[in-house]
Amino acid sequence: MPFEIPGSWEWVRLKNLVKKEIKRGKSPKYTVSSNIQVFAQKCNVKAGGIDMTLAKYLDDTVFPKYPEEEYMRDSDIVINSTGNGTLGRIGMFHDSDRINENIIVPDSHVTVIRASEFLSADYIFYVLNYYQPYLEKSCSGSTNQTELNPAVISELFIPVPPVNEQICIINKLIESLNLSKLYGEKEILLAVHVDFPVPPFWFTIEIILAIFSSPFNQ
């Protein structure tokens, strides 16, 4: 196993923690405009968000080939799975990302993970981010056509705590990330305004302790 975990946790392969098979979408046929959008790798933007203004539209004639379970849903996790640069990038889709309530389907370069209702999708999302460097190294194919096989993602071991602990971990992690972001903003201000006061030493220590006191790091 990757590391030791508390006795109340267990190691479970990701394929056993999802509602639907972990797989990619289909190769789309595009059109100028329709009520169905195609989620492509470029929609999973570097900042960690989703930008559906970058999506193209699916031709209505091929839409019947998509079963309803393949329509993207709130809290679906997406992983870029083709090519250099963005391969392994992980994002989370929310209903608030939709444009005009359009139906959205993934293309063949995006792997979709839909966490079980008995888990926190946010928790799975952050654990997968921990694995991102591993995913980037686990691709196959030639230099310009590297691919991340869905089977590699499916076989990942996930440390699963009780749901209440998952929520506590996520809350603590978000708090820590917000502190880290704030500290980064202060550093930028310090670089621009040399007379800006340096953040006190305890502020840096608080960020470090907040991150490493999480049960996920024990």
Side-chain angles (χ1 to χ4, degrees):
M1 297 303 173
F3 50 83
E4 291 187 11
I5 55 176
S8 60
W9 298 28
E10 60 179 324
W11 286 104
V12 184
R13 291 193 186 275
L14 183 59
K15 64 183 179 182
N16 297 319
L17 297 173
V18 295
K19 294 180 181 178
K20 62 182 287 291
E21 180 186 356
I22 296 173
K23 61 180 182 179
R24 300 187 190 187
K26 295 179 172 60
S27 296
K29 178 182 179 182
Y30 293 117
T31 188
V32 175
S33 181
S34 76
N35 293 322
I36 306 108
Q37 286 185 289
V38 178
F39 189 101
Q41 293 190 121
K42 62 184 177 181
C43 300
N44 185 13
V45 296
K46 189 173 183 179
I50 302 298
D51 186 355
M52 291 308 300
T53 65
L54 302 175
K56 295 182 179 180
Y57 295 95
L58 185 74
D59 192 308
D60 290 335
T61 61
V62 298
F63 181 57
K65 297 180 180 180
Y66 290 80
E68 188 172 346
E69 73 164 11
E70 291 190 20
Y71 304 174
M72 292 191 64
R73 301 179 186 176
D74 187 58
S75 298
D76 274 355
I77 299 167
V78 291
I79 302 181
N80 290 7
S81 301
T82 301
N84 295 324
T86 70
L87 187 145
R89 180 182 297 168
I90 300 164
M92 179 179 280
F93 173 81
H94 295 99
D95 279 337
S96 58
D97 298 315
R98 295 181 191 276
I99 298 175
N100 299 327
E101 300 299 318
N102 285 343
I103 292 173
I104 300 169
V105 294
D107 76 5
S108 58
H109 302 299
V110 175
T111 303
V112 177
I113 298 162
R114 186 168 298 156
S116 166
E117 61 268 25
F118 302 109
L119 294 167
S120 164
D122 287 324
Y123 175 78
I124 299 299
F125 168 74
Y126 282 111
V127 173
L128 287 174
N129 272 275
Y130 165 83
Y131 274 116
Q132 184 169 346
Y134 169 78
L135 295 177
E136 291 173 350
K137 296 176 182 178
S138 300
C139 58
S140 58
S142 61
T143 302
N144 295 322
Q145 274 298 323
T146 51
E147 303 283 346
L148 178 59
N149 194 313
V152 172
I153 302 170
S154 297
E155 294 298 322
L156 291 175
F157 274 113
I158 306 296
V160 182
V163 175
N164 63 321
E165 290 188 42
Q166 293 175 35
I167 295 171
C168 287
I169 290 169
I170 292 305
N171 290 340
K172 191 67 174 179
L173 181 56
I174 291 173
E175 177 186 344
S176 302
L177 291 173
N178 287 338
L179 284 170
S180 178
K181 179 181 178 181
L182 178 61
Y183 182 69
E185 291 171 350
K186 297 298 185 184
E187 280 194 315
I188 292 172
L189 286 172
L190 179 62
V192 175
H193 304 287
V194 293
D195 58 340
F196 192 87
V198 177
F201 179 74
W202 62 264
F203 187 81
T204 306
I205 295 300
E206 183 174 271
I207 294 174
I208 296 172
L209 290 177
I211 294 172
F212 287 97
S213 63
S214 167
F216 181 67
N217 293 289
Q218 293 179 359

